[in-house]
Amino acid sequence: MKALVAPSYGPLDQLVVTDVPKPAPGPGQILVRVETAALNPLDAALVVGAMREMMPVEHPFVVGMDASGVVEAVGEGVTGYAAGDEVLAYTHFHPGTIAEYTLVTEGPDVAPRPAGLDAARAAALVSTSLTGECVLDAVAGETGQTLLVIGATGGVGSFVVQLASRAGLRVLATAAPADAEYVRGLGASEVIDYTAVDTLKEALRLAPDGVDAVVDLISRGPALAGTAAAVKEGGRLVSTLMGPTEFERGVTVTYVRMATRDGRLGALAERVLSGDLSVEVTATYPLSDAPKALAEFAAGRYTRGKVVVTV
């Protein structure tokens, strides 16, 4: 089968679309014929080796972790799926999804694709929406509280804004002027133009006592100390990146890693189908152009929505 492959740790320009063995489903596994796969920042980090200590990969490495497609075959013990079922799945990049076929274990990482939900949006919602819900769980906000979202236009950020606003939080979201209406459409109460003003000063102008919580999807390391300055005493800072475990002020920090729970992926897909939540597919590439797609994505060409590869 054809797949996007990294032969070793190294720069993205080593990526090739080439033939690799087609996987076979073992006990409890589902073989999915991929229709669409979505790109994530972690894909590039795994290729170049930035995560090799925490998340080592075997080479040749097939890239990708989010997919939507059709069940081709099932392994022994699989009871919830059969050949021909349309699904969306998260594979934990073992094996990758930017390929003609991929494997996923039956359980919370796979869900039926609702009739009427196209393959592109289905693939695009997988890890972003699941991470968004994990982030909101960590925020633990209450109706009427104020949440600042830094990085609101990206895949995860867009879901955090939507989920938080649907939960009754007042959302302050950062965005460039061209994306201001988009972010308001997601549910942001106020949009902070980070290209024209200091984000933290503007957040404190809008919430003079400090925000109840901030989700920072951009900063990492010591830079998060500045982000914490926007949070009121006793508030919370949530990040998907690494940084200090505590701050001088009384701010609780939580670093989130995406986790799947039974029923959550299917429920999120249903909410996208119903229109309660939205996912924007910014760009689509064919499998033959997958190396270009990941290179342009990693270079920051797309700051809004999701990029997908059709197979």
Side-chain angles (χ1 to χ4, degrees), residues 19-294:
D19 289 305
V20 297
K22 178 181 174 180
Q29 291 184 318
I30 300 166
L31 178 66
V32 178
R33 175 169 52 81
V34 178
E35 294 179 314
T36 308
L39 301 183
N40 291 291
L42 182 56
D43 296 326
L46 293 172
V47 170
V48 302
M51 306 291 290
R52 73 175 73 186
E53 298 300 324
M54 298 175 59
M55 299 180 182
V57 300
E58 295 182 2
H59 296 97
F61 170 57
V62 178
V63 183
M65 57 196 72
D66 297 348
S68 179
V70 179
V71 175
E72 180 80 4
V74 299
E76 180 183 355
V78 173
T79 59
Y81 298 90
D85 290 347
E86 295 182 338
V87 296
L88 58 159
Y90 176 71
T91 69
H92 298 268
F93 58 85
H94 293 298
T97 59
I98 307 177
E100 292 179 317
Y101 296 91
T102 193
L103 289 173
V104 63
T105 300
E106 185 177 26
D109 292 329
V110 60
R113 189 172 85 205
L117 181 61
D118 59 276
R121 288 189 300 152
L125 73 84
V126 178
S127 61
T128 49
S129 65
L130 288 169
T131 304
E133 283 220 332
C134 291
V135 167
L136 198 63
D137 289 344
V139 168
E142 299 178 0
T143 300
Q145 289 187 331
T146 299
L147 172 68
L148 170 63
V149 181
I150 299 176
T153 60
V156 174
S158 66
F159 272 103
V160 171
V161 172
Q162 292 179 83
L163 292 166
S165 66
R166 307 301 188 270
L169 276 67
R170 177 196 179 204
V171 179
L172 314 181
T174 63
D179 296 323
E181 287 306 311
Y182 168 68
V183 173
R184 288 192 182 93
L186 295 175
S189 301
E190 304 282 351
V191 178
I192 297 175
D193 177 5
Y194 66 87
T195 69
V197 300
D198 181 282
T199 295
L200 302 183
K201 289 181 179 179
E202 182 65 8
L204 289 171
R205 186 186 71 80
L206 295 168
D209 296 329
V211 298
D212 295 285
V214 58
V215 172
D216 191 336
L217 303 170
I218 302 296
S219 308
R220 66 171 70 233
L224 285 170
T227 301
V231 185
K232 65 174 57 175
E233 188 77 19
R236 188 176 296 274
L237 187 156
V238 179
S239 169
T240 55
L241 305 173
M242 299 304 295
T245 56
E246 57 184 37
F247 300 97
E248 292 182 1
R249 301 173 60 251
V251 175
T252 300
V253 59
T254 303
Y255 296 103
V256 172
R257 286 191 179 180
M258 192 271 277
T260 51
R261 299 180 185 176
D262 286 337
R264 181 167 272 192
L265 181 56
L268 287 162
E270 291 286 355
R271 291 180 70 178
V272 171
L273 177 66
S274 71
D276 179 46
L277 298 174
S278 66
V279 54
E280 179 172 349
V281 175
T282 305
T284 302
Y285 292 76
L287 179 59
S288 59
D289 284 343
K292 177 182 177 182
L294 186 56

